Amino acid sequence: MKTKSFAEMDCSIARSLEQVGSWWSLLIIREALMGSRRFREFEKQLGISKNTLTSRLNELVATGVMEKRDGEGGSAYAEYRLTPKGRALAPVLMALAQWGDRWAEHESGRRYAFVDRRTDAEISEIRPRRENGEAIPLREIALKPLKPDVRDPSETRSKEKP
Amino acid sequence: MKTKSFAEMDCSIARSLEQVGSWWSLLIIREALMGSRRFREFEKQLGISKNTLTSRLNELVATGVMEKRDGEGGSAYAEYRLTPKGRALAPVLMALAQWGDRWAEHESGRRYAFVDRRTDAEISEIRPRRENGEAIPLREIALKPLKPDVRDPSETRSKEKP
DNA sequence: CAGGATCCAATACGATACTG
DNA sequence: CAGTATCGTATTGGATCCTG
């Protein structure tokens, strides 16, 4: 999806973005979590063109985020379902939703909520926490290189001859 | 950034995606969390073209995710820093990184980690939890409409005349 | 309904060259 | 260094028509 592809970027985030594909893909996954299974449902709910929907669904199936299978019972139509790999993206969507609720509000308020199926309780937040369960303030979060940070793989010996 | 704009989609996730802008934007934010501040740094670390970088930085500043200010001390150059709104995206990046580590692995392994600045401990995971602190299995997470789910705002009275 | 085939407009990104 | 200006290209996504 990228010119040189984020996939080879040696960065988990970039590779995730590469595999996810596009903004639309994330919204399709959202719809799947809402319960949509059939082509038509995704099409209607998202207001996406058939073309784009077909492409994105195919990509998602190709990367193993969704799977296509025959409709259950009588329905003669195929269904698209999230795989475990796809469901594993829920935290990403939750984090995005949480951010949007706080920083990109809209007059119409929220339309849906993440829920815990077992308790039927709304899942209010997703946060990084310390060992003791305490939430970590955002300002105290940083990214640290693990390896020597070989960001410029130009040469091992830096000067051969001045 | 979208044709009809995700911003008017009445969906927190869509609005977030709209404001974030693009994949590159997220990687720029990643770099900022890694400590980059100056144009050149972002350019080098990301391998992004000047053009694109300029656009994305401007967008991020426009949406309040980053701010541009005069370089501290002697440096005559401007700096780009995350705002609180921008730092609030850290959980999104963490969720993406977590997913990529698990589902889009790369032979070279990880290059960096999220850390808790105060304890200097690595932040291993970000997960939805129940009240009691128990992690919620992904299969038990769903999205539920809050409002009557007015997904098709066609008409209030469904039939005028059969 | 579920798509595939076309066509087309908008744009995102990179490469390159230029400047204060 | 930190951009801006230009150009060329690939891709994205919508619209329309067609089919099993």
Side-chain angles (χ1 to χ4, degrees), chain B residues 137-149:
Chain B
L138 296 172
R139 298 77 189 290
E140 296 177 9
I141 295 176
L143 267 163
K144 187 183 70 173
L146 289 179
K147 303 184 180 178
D149 196 14

Side-chain angles (χ1 to χ4, degrees), chain A residues 1-8 14-25 55-56 59 63, chain B residues 1-2 21-25 27 56:
Chain A
M1 186 237 151
K2 259 310 56 320
T3 302
K4 233 95 130 301
S5 128
F6 284 165
E8 15 189 277
R15 287 199 303 283
S16 296
L17 299 177
E18 172 76 22
Q19 287 218 11
V20 167
S22 81
W23 278 181
W24 273 125
S25 314
S55 308
R56 296 290 155 266
E59 282 174 18
T63 51
Chain B
M1 187 239 147
K2 256 320 43 322
S22 82
W23 278 182
W24 273 127
S25 313
L27 293 182
R56 297 289 156 264

Side-chain angles (χ1 to χ4, degrees), chain A residues 12 23 101 108 112 116 130, chain B residues 11-12 23 101 116 130 147:
Chain A
S12 305
W23 278 181
D101 285 341
S108 59
Y112 45 75
D116 179 345
R130 298 208 167 92
Chain B
C11 158
S12 305
W23 278 182
D101 285 341
D116 179 345
R130 299 208 167 91
K147 303 184 180 178

Side-chain angles (χ1 to χ4, degrees), chain B residues 8 16 39 43 47 57 71 85 107 114 120 126 135 142 149:
Chain B
E8 16 189 277
S16 295
F39 192 92
E43 189 184 359
L57 282 175
K85 181 176 180 178
E107 72 274 3
F114 284 89
D120 206 50
I126 180 168
D149 196 14

Side-chain angles (χ1 to χ4, degrees), chain A residues 67 83 116 140 142 152 154:
Chain A
E67 59 179 352
T83 59
D116 179 345
E140 295 178 10
D152 186 330
S154 40

Side-chain angles (χ1 to χ4, degrees), chain B residues 1 26 54 60 75 87 92 125-126 133 139 145 149:
Chain B
M1 187 239 147
L26 285 174
T54 302
L60 291 170
S75 83
R87 268 188 297 273
V92 174
E125 52 167 46
I126 180 168
R139 298 77 189 290
D149 196 14

Side-chain angles (χ1 to χ4, degrees), chain B residues 47-71:
Chain B
I48 189 178
S49 75
K50 287 168 179 288
N51 262 339
T52 308
L53 180 56
T54 302
S55 308
R56 297 289 156 264
L57 282 175
N58 287 341
E59 283 175 16
L60 291 170
V61 168
T63 52
V65 167
M66 298 190 84
E67 59 179 351
K68 183 178 187 175
R69 51 177 175 183
D70 295 337

